[in-house]
């Protein structure tokens, strides 16, 4: 039956898909903060009344005016008008930079927005003691070598210089000194060059750069500037006292180039001295970052952060090149102006890009979409609700890629180096494999994982790319009512929608199979197929006689075998001439009361819904218009179901099983899988059955997924522990789980080959005095006794995370998450600090 999803609405707007009651539209377009901040206003912009303008790629429903139950306030209908121009648009918008920010392809789960690869992994860190002692030994060795040079204790020290200078400059012999003034000047320059080489070698051997970075630069300002200033003052003192060969070699070189007469001018001499002093100070100013410190002290502007966005080009995303390539340059110019003036947000961009992709499949709809863009700008192709954003956001989203950032990979040895410190994000490609999150109450499943996922799917629904069904208890933090199109409050008299126990189908066998799974799917002693047969023997005759399925009280009477109910149904069938259905009813009458008859168990479960709180809530017939779950597969709807867990825990679990079974059955049967559909269960306790596990496994192939949150794996029947963990591609173990749960995750995540090194150290005892002295010096430098190491390297297979580590080594606010996407790519289990 194709009813365009209209069975899910009560009241006079039943010819349209359900939507929430919304207030009149505002007079100004939504404000556009930076997309990465994760905080957005609740403003929205009205759309065009013309439905074809809003969704030129196909028919879509419009927002209804809801009719609530008696006693509930009704909302006025929403009038959609073209977008008015902004009175004073802001001078700039961050959306254009957001569009140009690179999003490189990465491994599953990497936050791609502005991603930069980490620096190469550093080698093993040298201890501070070894670093200091090594630098001291290098410095003392350099001073000793320079002293020997200056005092003439090194033989043949002038031989290299004499090879490149005239012989008449020098006294005879290999150790003869300079004879002329030219020889003295050459020796002065020669000594300065050798001193520079000696100082450079001492710095490299003593690793003075690492010493400076670790003990001076890492302390920051003003210590860095003060240390550099002290070193600069000491160096200047040594330079002008000619302890360091700098001044005389410079004067000699200047005289050899410009002539000695240049020193007759005192001004020239002062300039040369000033240049020498500035040259000595310059490296210390760079090391101490004096310029930045002075600018900060004067209150000057801080250095601008690096802009991660790419420069604007004719082919950049903010120029809408796909529209220009199709010949709609005017529409592209309109959207470019909307982006730059701040009249569009990230959801508008994602929605229009998606609408254009859909329209390119039907060329006859490109024109209407382009005309709608020219007329309404960023308000074209609006979501049926007229919303352009959520009231508020609790996480960071990149709507262009569909990612939501839920945390940051911890700097932990279990995580690969390339993933440490990178953001972790979820997207439809990952949720399409389904996700199972396990953690005790208070671990953060709802606030840090479930709500960000629901929020991301709701934003994607506003962009026309997804539909979401979120199920939780009353008061659970799944988002405000204004963030959803349909809010079903089970058992609440003010709820605008009911739940269809039969999933909106007209086939008795299909309705019986799904209803049996919801009613007794968790009872291991009952065969759900026999229960479905019993229900089909009653639903088929009842629908044939009355044109609709029975309500909860009527179904309970039939399952209890009440004679009056059977007699009335038989009379209706005989009057209508449904002989085949009479045989079904007769078969049910013969089997009633027999051994193993599942009807009493079914009646007991139906009795949970036959309570005064739910009176009229699961009604059927021509006057009842419950929300039809099949609409999720046709329209980008945002649906939230609130279950009365506190007062009716068993009924809530029954409804959760029923909705999960309906979701898997409906999504598997749909033919158009272009819309991503996701079910989010904030508490899946006792909701998973063998049939739903098989259904979850099939969701990946129909562009759908499920997110299930459990307090412990034991909330699922023991026989389904392994099938459930194998059916989902993404798993998350939160801090505080038990070792029993950790064991199941460790088995599901498997093992990996690692290289182990076994080192056996043996102390070396020296017999000779010189060897003992060397060993004592080595112990002084390293702080360790002299030993020999016997190293054994081998490959072993080890669990990625052991059960004990998952139970005791995961800090609070963290979770170990393993991800896989629908293409078969996967990431190892990662320790993630959740900041969602």
């Amino acid at each position: 039956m194709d009813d365009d999803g209209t069975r899910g609405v009560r009241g006079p707007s039943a010819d349209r898909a359900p939507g929430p009651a919304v207030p009149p539209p505002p007079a100004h377009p939504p404000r556009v903060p930076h997309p990465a901040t994760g905080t957005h206003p609740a403003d929205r912009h009205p759309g065009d009344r013309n439905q074809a303008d809003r969704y030129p790629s196909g028919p879509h429903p419009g927002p209804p005016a809801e009719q609530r139950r008696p006693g509930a306030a009704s909302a006025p209908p929403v009038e959609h008008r073209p977008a008015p121009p902004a009175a004073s648009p802001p001078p700039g918008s961050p959306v254009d930079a957001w569009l140009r920010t690179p999003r490189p392809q990465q491994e599953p789960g990497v936050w791609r927005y502005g991603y930069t690869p980490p620096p190469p992994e550093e080698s093993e860190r040298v201890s501070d003691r070894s670093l200091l002692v090594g630098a001291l030994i290098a410095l003392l060795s350099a001073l000793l070598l320079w002293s020997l040079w200056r005092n003439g204790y090194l033989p043949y020290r002038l031989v290299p210089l004499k090879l490149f200078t005239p012989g008449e400059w020098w006294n005879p012999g290999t150790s003869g000194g300079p004879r002329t003034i030219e020889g003295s000047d050459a020796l002065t320059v020669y000594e300065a060059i050798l001193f520079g080489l000696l100082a450079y070698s001492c710095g490299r051997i003593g690793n003075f750069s690492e010493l400076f970075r670790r003990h001076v630069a890492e302390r920051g300002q003003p210590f860095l500037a003060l240390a550099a200033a002290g070193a600069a003052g000491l160096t200047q003192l040594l330079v002008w006292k000619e302890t360091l060969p700098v001044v005389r070699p410079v004067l000699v070189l200047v005289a050899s180039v410009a002539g000695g007469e240049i020193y007759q001018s005192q001004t020239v001499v002062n300039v040369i001295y000033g240049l020498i002093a500035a040259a000595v100070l310059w490296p210390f100013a760079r090391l101490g970052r004096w310029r930045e410190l002075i600018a900060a002290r004067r209150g000057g502007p801080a250095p601008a952060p690096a802009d991660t966005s790419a420069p604007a080009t004719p082919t950049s995303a903010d120029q809408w090149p796909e529209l220009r390539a199709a010949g709609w340059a005017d529409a592209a110019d309109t959207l470019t102006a909307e982006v730059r003036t701040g009249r569009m947000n990230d959801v508008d961009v994602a929605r229009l890009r998606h609408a254009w992709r859909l329209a390119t499949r039907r060329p006859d709809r490109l024109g209407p979409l382009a005309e709608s863009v020219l007329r309404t700008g960023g308000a074209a192709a609006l979501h049926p609700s007229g919303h352009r954003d959520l009231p508020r956001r609790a996480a960071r989203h990149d709507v262009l890629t569909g990612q939501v950032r839920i945390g940051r990979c911890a700097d932990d040895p279990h995580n690969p180096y390339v993933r440490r410190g990178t953001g972790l994000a979820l997207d439809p490609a990952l949720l399409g494999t389904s996700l199972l999150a396990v953690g005790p109450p208070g671990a953060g499943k709802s606030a840090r994982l479930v709500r960000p996922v629901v929020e991301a799917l709701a934003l994607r629904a506003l962009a026309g790319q997804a539909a979401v069904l979120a199920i939780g208890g009353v008061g659970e933090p799944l988002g405000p009512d204004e963030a959803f199109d349909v809010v079903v409050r089970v058992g609440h008299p003010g709820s605008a929608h009911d739940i269809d126990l039969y999933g909106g189908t007209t086939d008795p066998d299909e309705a019986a199979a799904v209803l049996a799974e919801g009613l007794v799917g968790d009872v291991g002693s009952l065969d759900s197929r026999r229960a479905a047969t019993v229900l089909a023997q009653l639903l088929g005759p009842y629908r044939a006689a009355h044109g609709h399925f029975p309500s909860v009280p009527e179904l309970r009477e039939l399952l209890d075998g009440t004679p009056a109910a059977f007699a009335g149904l038989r009379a209706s069938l005989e009057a209508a001439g449904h002989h085949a259905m009479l045989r079904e009813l007769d078969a049910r009458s013969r089997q009633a009361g027999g051994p193993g008859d599942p009807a009493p168990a079914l009646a007991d479960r139906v009795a949970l819904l036959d309570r005064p709180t739910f009176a009229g809530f699961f009604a059927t017939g021509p006057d009842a218009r419950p929300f039809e779950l099949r609409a999720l597969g046709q329209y980008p709807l945002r649906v939230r179901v609130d279950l009365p867990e506190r007062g009716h825990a068993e009924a809530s679990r029954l409804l959760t099983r029923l909705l999960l079974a309906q979701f898997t059955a409906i999504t598997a049967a749909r033919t158009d899988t272009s819309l991503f559909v996701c079910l989010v269960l904030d508490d899946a306790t006792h909701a998973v059955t063998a049939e739903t596990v098989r259904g979850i496994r099939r969701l990946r192939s129909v562009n759908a997924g499920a997110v299930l949150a459990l307090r412990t794996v034991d909330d699922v029947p023991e026989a389904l522990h392994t099938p459930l963990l194998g059916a989902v591609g993404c798993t998350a173990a939160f801090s505080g789980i038990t070792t029993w749960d950790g064991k199941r995750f460790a088995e599901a995540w498997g093992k990996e080959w690692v290289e182990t090194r076994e080192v056996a150290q043996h102390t070396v005892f020296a017999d000779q005095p010189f060897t003992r002295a060397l060993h004592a010096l080595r112990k002084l430098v390293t702080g360790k006794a002299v030993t020999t190491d016997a190293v054994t390297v081998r490959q072993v297979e080890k669990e990625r995370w052991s059960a004990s580590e998952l139970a005791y080594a995961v800090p609070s606010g963290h979770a170990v998450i393993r991800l896989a996407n629908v293409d078969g790519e996967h990431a190892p289990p990662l320790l993630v600090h959740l900041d969602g």
Side-chain angles (χ1 to χ4, degrees):
M1 182 182 71
D2 185 8
D3 53 7
D4 292 336
T6 58
R7 288 196 63 235
V9 189
R10 289 170 167 254
S13 58
D15 57 336
R16 290 175 291 183
V22 292
H28 297 284
R31 299 183 298 274
V32 187
H34 196 285
T37 60
T39 303
H40 289 253
D43 301 339
R44 61 179 182 84
H45 196 282
D48 196 330
R49 180 178 294 182
N50 189 345
Q51 194 69 19
D53 291 343
R54 285 190 275 164
Y55 281 94
S57 58
H60 287 259
E66 293 185 348
Q67 180 179 358
R68 295 184 177 270
R69 297 172 180 272
S74 59
V78 178
E79 180 186 358
H80 292 281
R81 302 184 299 272
S88 57
S93 169
V95 179
D96 51 355
W98 170 77
L99 271 173
R100 295 193 305 268
T101 300
R103 296 166 174 83
Q105 291 291 337
Q106 293 296 324
E107 297 179 2
V110 175
W111 175 250
R112 293 168 51 192
Y113 178 78
Y115 173 80
T116 54
E121 187 174 6
E122 296 181 357
S123 58
E124 186 177 355
R125 183 183 175 97
V126 181
S127 65
D128 290 342
R129 178 175 179 176
S130 299
L131 192 65
L132 290 171
V133 172
L136 180 61
I137 291 177
L139 179 60
L140 294 177
S141 301
L143 291 176
L144 176 62
L145 187 63
W146 182 247
S147 177
L148 295 175
W149 167 270
R150 293 296 299 269
N151 293 298
Y153 290 105
L154 295 180
Y156 310 106
R157 64 190 185 96
L158 299 180
V159 171
L161 180 60
K162 292 182 178 181
L163 292 177
F164 296 96
T165 55
E168 60 268 16
W169 289 5
W170 309 97
N171 293 319
T174 57
S175 59
R179 177 188 298 177
T180 64
I181 297 177
E182 290 83 358
S184 298
D185 293 342
L187 179 60
T188 299
V189 176
Y190 179 58
E191 288 183 344
I193 294 175
L194 289 181
F195 179 82
L197 293 176
L198 181 63
Y200 176 77
S201 301
C202 174
R204 291 297 302 271
I205 295 174
N207 204 1
F208 277 84
S209 60
E210 177 65 17
L211 185 66
F212 175 81
R213 184 191 64 82
R214 189 181 300 183
H215 295 282
V216 179
E218 288 184 354
R219 296 192 179 186
Q221 299 287 13
F223 181 82
L224 176 61
L226 292 176
L234 178 61
T235 305
Q236 289 280 11
L237 179 63
L238 296 177
V239 166
W240 295 112
K241 283 185 172 295
E242 297 190 1
T243 304
L244 301 179
V246 176
V247 178
R248 288 181 60 84
V250 171
L251 296 177
V252 169
L253 290 176
V254 171
S256 64
V257 174
E261 296 80 4
I262 193 174
Y263 294 123
Q264 296 178 0
S265 174
Q266 186 63 35
T267 302
V268 173
V269 174
N270 294 336
V271 169
I272 294 175
Y273 285 166
L275 292 177
I276 293 174
V280 173
L281 285 178
W282 180 77
F284 295 99
R286 289 289 304 274
L287 290 175
R289 301 173 185 172
W290 294 353
R291 184 179 179 181
E292 298 178 9
L293 181 62
I294 293 173
R297 294 296 182 183
R298 291 181 177 178
D307 188 4
T308 58
S309 62
T313 62
T315 58
S316 58
D318 61 324
Q319 299 293 322
W320 302 87
E322 60 272 17
L323 274 70
R324 300 182 189 276
W328 296 97
D330 293 342
D333 293 338
T334 299
L335 293 180
T336 301
E338 293 268 308
V339 168
R340 290 182 176 176
T341 56
R343 294 176 59 87
M344 288 180 63
N345 59 16
D346 52 350
V347 179
D348 295 331
V349 173
R351 186 186 69 251
L352 289 173
R353 287 167 66 97
H354 177 68
W356 186 264
R357 284 195 299 266
L358 293 181
T360 53
R361 303 175 187 174
R362 299 280 300 273
D364 58 315
R365 292 179 178 174
L366 289 175
L369 176 59
E371 293 174 1
S372 176
V373 169
L374 291 174
R375 185 168 60 254
T376 62
L382 270 183
H383 186 264
S385 65
H387 293 176
R388 295 172 65 176
D389 203 350
L390 298 180
R392 57 181 178 272
R393 302 186 187 184
R396 295 178 61 184
H397 300 269
D398 184 19
V399 187
L400 206 60
T401 58
Q403 287 190 315
V404 53
R405 191 181 190 276
I406 63 172
R408 173 181 51 83
C409 295
D411 187 4
D412 187 86
H414 287 91
N415 293 344
Y417 173 76
V418 295
R419 298 302 297 268
R420 298 175 190 174
T422 60
L424 189 81
L426 297 176
D427 56 52
L430 297 172
L431 298 178
T433 64
S434 298
L435 185 148
L436 176 66
V438 178
K445 301 188 301 298
S446 299
R448 300 182 179 182
L449 179 65
V450 174
R451 174 160 183 180
V453 168
V454 173
E455 201 172 76
L457 294 171
L459 288 172
R460 204 160 180 82
L462 290 178
Q465 304 175 49
V468 57
L469 172 61
I471 304 175
V474 177
E476 295 295 336
L478 297 181
D481 294 351
E482 296 80 7
F484 295 91
D485 301 312
V486 176
V487 178
V488 181
R489 296 182 176 88
V490 179
H492 194 282
S495 178
H497 301 280
D498 296 343
I499 291 180
D500 189 352
L501 295 179
Y502 307 101
T505 182
T506 58
D507 184 1
D509 293 328
E510 181 181 352
V514 175
L515 185 57
E517 197 65 33
L519 292 176
V520 295
D522 61 327
V523 182
S525 59
L526 286 180
D527 187 357
S528 60
R529 290 173 297 181
R530 290 194 60 190
T533 301
V534 171
L535 289 172
Q537 291 173 344
L538 297 175
L539 298 182
Y542 192 95
R543 179 171 180 79
H546 301 283
H548 58 82
F549 291 121
S551 62
V552 169
E554 294 168 334
L555 179 60
R556 180 183 180 183
E557 291 181 353
L558 292 173
L559 289 172
D560 283 333
T562 305
F566 268 84
L569 180 57
R570 184 183 303 275
S572 300
L573 292 174
E574 291 175 350
H578 295 291
H579 301 289
M581 294 301 173
L582 280 172
R583 289 195 297 271
E584 287 284 300
L585 192 61
D586 292 338
R588 172 84 289 265
S589 300
R590 291 192 302 269
Q591 297 170 5
D597 182 18
L602 290 170
D604 292 340
R605 289 300 177 88
V606 172
L608 296 174
L609 303 179
D610 190 17
R611 306 297 302 164
T613 302
F614 306 125
F617 201 85
F618 306 106
T620 58
D623 297 332
R625 310 294 293 185
F627 171 71
E628 185 177 309
L629 207 61
R630 292 181 182 272
L632 283 174
Q634 303 172 12
Y635 307 111
L637 294 176
R638 302 164 295 165
V639 183
R640 193 188 77 200
V641 178
D642 295 340
L643 300 176
E645 292 181 345
R646 291 183 175 86
H648 304 273
E650 287 298 327
S652 297
R653 294 173 182 174
L654 187 154
L655 292 174
T656 303
R657 283 194 304 273
L658 179 62
L659 291 173
L660 178 57
Q662 289 182 0
F663 179 83
T664 56
I666 290 171
T667 52
R670 63 181 182 145
T671 56
D672 183 9
T673 60
S674 59
L675 195 68
F676 178 73
V677 185
C678 189
L679 169 69
V680 181
L681 287 180
D682 188 58
D683 184 7
T685 303
H686 301 298
V688 180
T689 64
E691 185 61 32
T692 54
V693 169
R694 287 188 287 268
I696 290 173
R697 191 178 291 114
R698 293 191 297 265
L699 293 179
R700 181 182 308 194
S701 60
V702 293
N703 195 24
V707 178
L708 310 177
L710 293 171
R711 294 182 177 89
T712 174
V713 182
D714 290 330
D715 289 339
V716 177
E718 185 176 0
L720 299 179
H721 290 174
T722 300
L724 177 60
L725 289 172
V728 297
C730 304
T731 48
F734 284 72
S735 61
I737 65 172
T738 63
T739 52
W740 292 273
D741 288 343
K743 179 181 179 181
R744 298 181 182 97
F745 279 108
E747 293 175 351
W749 292 339
K751 301 179 179 180
E752 61 179 346
W753 288 98
V754 296
E755 183 181 275
T756 62
R757 295 169 56 91
E758 296 180 358
V759 181
Q761 294 184 341
H762 304 281
T763 304
V764 177
F765 298 96
D767 296 331
Q768 301 299 324
F770 181 72
T771 307
R772 286 198 297 269
L774 290 179
H775 287 184
L777 178 62
R778 181 176 175 181
K779 185 176 182 180
L780 175 64
V781 173
T782 61
K784 300 179 181 178
V786 179
T787 59
T788 58
D789 295 340
V791 182
T792 303
V793 181
R794 59 179 179 175
Q795 297 283 336
V796 297
E797 200 174 17
K798 182 183 177 182
E799 290 179 333
R800 301 178 185 270
W801 280 83
S802 67
S804 297
E805 289 174 330
L806 289 173
Y808 302 111
V810 180
S812 177
H814 290 65
V816 181
I817 301 178
R818 187 257 185 186
L819 300 175
N821 61 17
V822 293
D823 296 328
E825 299 177 319
H826 59 85
L830 303 171
L831 178 63
V832 181
H833 175 250
L834 301 170
D835 55 11

